[in-house]
Amino acid sequence: MSERPARRAEVVPEARARALLAEGEIEVLGRIPWASNATLLTEVTGGGLTGLAVYKPERGERPLWDFPDGTLHRREVAAYQVSECLGWGLVPLTITRDGPFGTGSLQLWVDADPDVTAFDLLAEGHPALSRIAAFDVVVNNADRKAGHCLLGGDGRVWAIDHGVCFHAEPKLRTVLWDLADHRLDAELLDDLRRFAGAVEGDLAGALATLLDEDERAALADRARSLARTGRLPRPGSGRSWPWPLV
C-alpha cells in the first residue's frame, strides 16, 4: 500500500495504514478460493491511499465442533495483538471492521512469493521460523500449514491465518516440527516472560473483547511455560500435523 497507484505496505507509516483499514471504503475484488472459510480479497481506499486487504467476515465462518461459533475473526485480531505485544512483528496489521458482509477481520495484504512455503524456509534454515514456531506454541495454533508462512518481497517472513488459535486445551498442529527441541535465545525468553505479565495487565482489556477468560489464562500459562523450558516442544501423542500440509 502507498500513495496511488502503488500499494506496497512498507512505504506507509503504520498509523496511516491503520487509519486506512479502519476508515477506508472497502470493495470486494473476489474470494480467495483455497480458504476453508469465506476469505475475501478487497481493495481499501481512503485518505489518498489505496491498498489490498484480506477480509474475513463472521458470517462466512464455517462452524467447528471445538471452537465457539462466530469467534474465528476475533482470533485473527488477537494473533496480531499478541505478535505486537511480543515485539516480534510476525502478523500483518489486522483489525476488527464492519465490512460489506458485516463484522469481520481485515488484514493488510502481504505481497509474497507464492512459490515459497515454510518447507522452503526450513530447508534454508531461515531464522524467522523458530520465532514463528514459538509464536504458535504461545497462541496454540491448531493449523500452521506451510502456506501460512509468507516470504515478502523485502525478505521479511510473515505468519497468517490464525482463526483456529487460542483454545484453552492443547491443540498445536504445525508443519514446523523439524524445530522441536530448538533452544530459544535469551531475548525471546525475556519477551515471553514480559508478555505473560501483559496478558494479565496492559493487554488484558484488548484481549477481553476477543478471547474468553479461560483462553486468556491459558495463553499466559503457555508463554510462561515456554519461557521456563527455553526449548520448542516435541509433538504430542495426538494429532500434531495440519491437513492439508500446505
Side-chain angles (χ1 to χ4, degrees):
M1 176 183 46
S2 70
E3 305 292 338
R4 288 193 180 113
R7 301 169 177 168
R8 298 187 66 81
E10 57 268 28
V11 302
V12 174
E14 182 181 350
R16 293 193 69 194
R18 184 180 293 276
L20 175 64
L21 287 192
E23 303 167 9
E25 181 179 350
I26 300 173
E27 177 185 358
V28 175
L29 301 180
R31 183 165 183 169
I32 297 176
W34 54 85
S36 56
N37 296 288
T39 303
L40 306 174
L41 178 63
T42 67
E43 185 173 77
V44 187
T45 304
L49 298 177
T50 296
L52 298 178
V54 177
Y55 168 48
K56 296 183 178 182
E58 176 183 339
R59 65 189 287 187
E61 295 176 7
R62 183 181 64 180
L64 300 173
W65 70 269
D66 53 348
F67 282 82
D69 291 351
T71 67
L72 303 191
H73 69 289
R74 298 180 199 167
R75 297 169 195 276
E76 296 276 5
V77 179
Y80 167 73
Q81 295 191 358
V82 169
S83 171
E84 291 300 292
C85 186
L86 282 164
W88 294 356
L90 297 172
V91 180
L93 175 62
T94 312
I95 66 168
T96 302
R97 174 73 197 269
D98 187 36
F101 299 105
T103 300
S105 62
L106 191 65
Q107 181 176 89
L108 281 182
W109 173 263
V110 173
D111 289 320
D113 186 339
D115 295 324
V116 176
T117 72
F119 294 134
D120 303 293
L121 298 170
L122 279 170
E124 70 177 55
H126 199 292
L129 288 201
S130 61
R131 188 167 295 200
I132 292 176
F135 176 78
D136 286 344
V137 172
V138 172
V139 302
N140 197 18
N141 193 344
D143 193 37
R144 175 60 73 203
K145 294 181 173 68
H148 295 172
C149 296
L150 306 180
L151 179 63
D154 59 355
R156 183 173 178 178
V157 176
W158 297 91
I160 63 167
D161 284 345
H162 298 103
V164 286
C165 293
F166 298 105
H167 203 287
E169 300 175 4
K171 288 185 177 290
L172 183 61
R173 293 190 284 269
T174 176
V175 297
L176 301 180
W177 289 119
D178 285 0
L179 298 174
D181 278 334
H182 174 82
R183 183 178 291 278
L184 300 174
D185 63 42
E187 181 181 357
L188 294 190
L189 299 182
D190 287 343
D191 292 340
L192 291 166
R193 296 185 191 99
R194 174 181 50 78
F195 170 75
V199 172
E200 298 158 347
D202 294 344
L203 196 59
L207 290 181
T209 66
L210 303 170
L211 304 173
D212 290 341
E213 182 177 0
D214 60 338
E215 293 171 335
R216 301 194 304 273
L219 174 63
D221 287 345
R222 288 190 298 267
R224 289 194 184 96
S225 177
L226 185 56
R228 184 169 56 252
T229 63
R231 290 180 180 272
L232 294 173
R234 297 179 180 180
S237 58
R239 178 186 167 196
S240 299
W241 293 80
W243 189 259
L245 296 177
V246 179

